[in-house]
């Protein structure tokens, strides 16, 4: 009889520990990135389709939809770490794009009436530097690159001069340059790489539709598909999954190179640690 009671007690203890472990697993909210568990930290919620994320000075800048069911209308907003509630930047009309020049401490906002710039060294001042262009997307690499709607042609701002990029004549949705100075562009046919110093387009295996391209502080390009986040295998010219996350709208990286992404209603930072 004592043996039966002892076995029963052991089973209850084991079951209790397993149940507690399963309960912890359920409440432990995170994802695997590069095969390592990362805890989710929600930086903001209640936002509506936050696109075009940029990060600087403990602040995430983004575009969000403020329209109704019949018409999309966009604005640029930002959320500081620890505040959760975003604040709008009302300078831009139909604000749709953001990018950062970290070296010169500048943040660019693009909308239907052109590009504005804010210098972090001059709080409160936002200048209208490019007019008469409807901005679709932006990327900063040595100079400001931007895609104009509806032509979807790539342009570059050098000083006060606006140049159209002649060697990229196709309509593109996104543009990025990685740490090897290789170019990535997306078209209706998918993702292409253009090696530094060449003009050949190399089509990648994998998904064809992307919501965001972003390069981290190590120069690695990341690509947000409909069901996952990818990096490029630049020898086999195919995409490798680094995180299974659905419905990603935007992507950026904080000062410590931690990934920040958005889904339809949240902005989330991934931290390489277990839930506590």
């Amino acid at each position: 009889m004592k043996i039966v009671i002892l076995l029963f007690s052991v089973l209850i203890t084991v079951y209790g520990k397993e149940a507690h472990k399963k309960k912890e697993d359920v409440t432990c909210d995170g994802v695997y990135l590069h095969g390592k568990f990362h805890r989710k930290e929600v930086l903001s919620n209640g936002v509506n389709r936050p696109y075009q994320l940029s990060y600087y000075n403990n602040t995430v800048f983004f575009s969000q939809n403020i329209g109704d069911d019949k018409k999309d209308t966009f604005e640029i907003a930002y959320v500081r770490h620890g505040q959760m509630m975003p604040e709008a930047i009302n300078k831009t009309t139909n604000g749709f794009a953001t990018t950062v020049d970290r070296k010169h401490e500048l943040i660019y906002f693009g909308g239907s009436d052109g590009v504005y710039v804010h210098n972090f060294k001059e709080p409160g001042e936002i200048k209208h530097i490019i007019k008469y262009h409807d901005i679709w997307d932006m990327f900063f690499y040595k100079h400001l690159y931007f895609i104009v709607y509806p032509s979807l042609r790539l342009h570059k701002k050098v000083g006060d001069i606006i140049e159209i990029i002649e060697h990229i004549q196709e309509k593109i949705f996104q543009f990025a340059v990685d740490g090897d100075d290789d170019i990535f562009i997306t078209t209706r046919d998918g993702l292409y790489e253009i090696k530094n110093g060449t003009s050949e387009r190399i089509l990648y295996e994998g998904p064809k539709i992307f919501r965001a391209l972003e390069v981290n502080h190590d120069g690695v390009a990341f690509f947000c598909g409909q069901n996952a986040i990818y990096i490029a295998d630049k020898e086999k010219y195919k995409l490798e999954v680094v995180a299974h996350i659905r419905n990603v709208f935007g992507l950026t990286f904080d000062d410590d190179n931690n990934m920040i992404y958005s889904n339809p209603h949240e902005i989330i930072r991934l931290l390489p640690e277990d839930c506590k």
Side-chain angles (χ1 to χ4, degrees):
M1 184 68 177
K2 290 181 179 178
I3 294 175
V4 173
I5 294 173
L6 179 60
L7 286 173
F8 183 75
S9 298
V10 170
L11 287 173
I12 290 295
T13 302
V14 171
Y15 178 80
K17 287 182 177 179
E18 287 298 316
H20 182 66
K21 182 176 183 295
K22 288 180 180 179
K23 184 178 180 181
E24 285 184 342
D25 290 343
V26 170
T27 58
C28 186
D29 197 7
V31 299
Y32 282 86
L33 175 62
H34 297 291
K36 179 179 174 59
F37 184 84
H38 284 62
R39 178 176 62 85
K40 290 182 180 180
E41 179 191 17
V42 177
L43 302 179
S44 184
N45 55 25
V47 289
N48 187 14
R49 287 184 281 166
Y51 286 98
Q52 298 274 341
L53 272 58
S54 295
Y55 184 94
Y56 192 79
N57 196 25
N58 291 317
T59 305
V60 181
F61 299 87
F62 58 96
S63 168
Q64 67 173 341
N65 189 352
I66 57 171
D68 54 28
D69 294 336
K70 296 181 180 180
K71 183 180 179 181
D72 287 338
T73 303
F74 298 91
E75 73 173 7
I76 302 296
Y78 66 93
V79 60
R80 292 191 175 94
H81 184 246
Q83 290 191 347
M84 291 292 288
M85 293 299 296
E87 297 184 41
I89 297 175
N90 297 316
K91 280 281 187 178
T92 57
T93 300
N94 214 26
F96 195 68
T98 74
T99 193
V100 170
D101 173 4
R102 301 180 67 85
K103 180 179 179 181
H104 297 102
E105 300 184 64
L106 303 175
I107 175 80
Y108 295 92
F109 310 121
S112 58
D113 61 346
V115 177
Y116 293 76
V117 64
H118 169 60
N119 189 332
F120 286 99
K121 299 175 184 177
E122 301 172 2
E125 185 174 2
I126 299 177
K127 297 179 181 179
H128 196 179
I129 59 170
I130 297 175
K131 300 180 180 179
Y132 314 117
H133 288 289
D134 191 346
I135 307 302
W136 172 267
D137 193 16
M138 296 193 298
F139 185 83
F140 193 90
Y141 178 74
K142 298 181 181 178
H143 301 284
L144 176 64
Y145 291 85
F146 59 95
I147 300 169
V148 171
Y149 183 83
S151 69
L152 297 180
R153 288 294 306 274
L154 181 65
H155 295 65
K156 177 172 69 172
K157 184 178 187 297
V158 182
D160 294 328
I161 306 299
I162 305 298
E163 303 175 357
I164 191 166
I165 305 301
E166 296 294 346
H167 69 91
I168 300 179
Q169 296 189 3
E170 56 264 63
K171 293 183 177 182
I172 65 174
F173 301 123
Q174 288 113 355
F175 167 89
V177 183
D178 72 4
D180 297 320
D181 286 352
D182 296 330
I183 293 172
F184 289 96
I185 58 174
T186 62
T187 73
R188 64 176 58 189
D189 298 317
L191 173 68
Y192 290 89
E193 179 184 351
I194 306 173
K195 293 288 187 184
N196 183 23
T198 73
S199 59
E200 179 186 3
R201 274 69 168 158
I202 304 170
L203 181 63
Y204 267 66
E205 295 180 23
K208 305 298 182 185
I209 298 174
F210 302 89
R211 284 199 177 119
L213 273 62
E214 189 60 51
V215 178
N216 72 3
H217 303 319
D218 295 326
V220 179
F222 289 74
F223 311 90
C224 297
Q226 293 176 306
N227 301 308
I229 298 175
Y230 305 83
I231 59 172
D233 183 333
K234 298 176 70 174
E235 295 183 356
K236 298 180 180 179
Y237 302 115
K238 65 180 183 179
L239 292 175
E240 297 180 352
V241 176
V242 296
H244 289 282
I245 306 175
R246 296 176 60 86
N247 293 323
V248 175
F249 276 72
L251 187 70
T252 190
F253 296 86
D254 69 11
D255 294 335
D256 296 319
N257 227 11
N258 295 309
M259 180 181 288
I260 299 173
Y261 74 93
S262 60
N263 60 34
H265 299 294
E266 294 177 313
I267 299 174
I268 297 167
R269 174 159 50 187
L270 297 181
L271 299 172
E273 58 189 45
D274 293 331
C275 294
K276 298 177 182 179

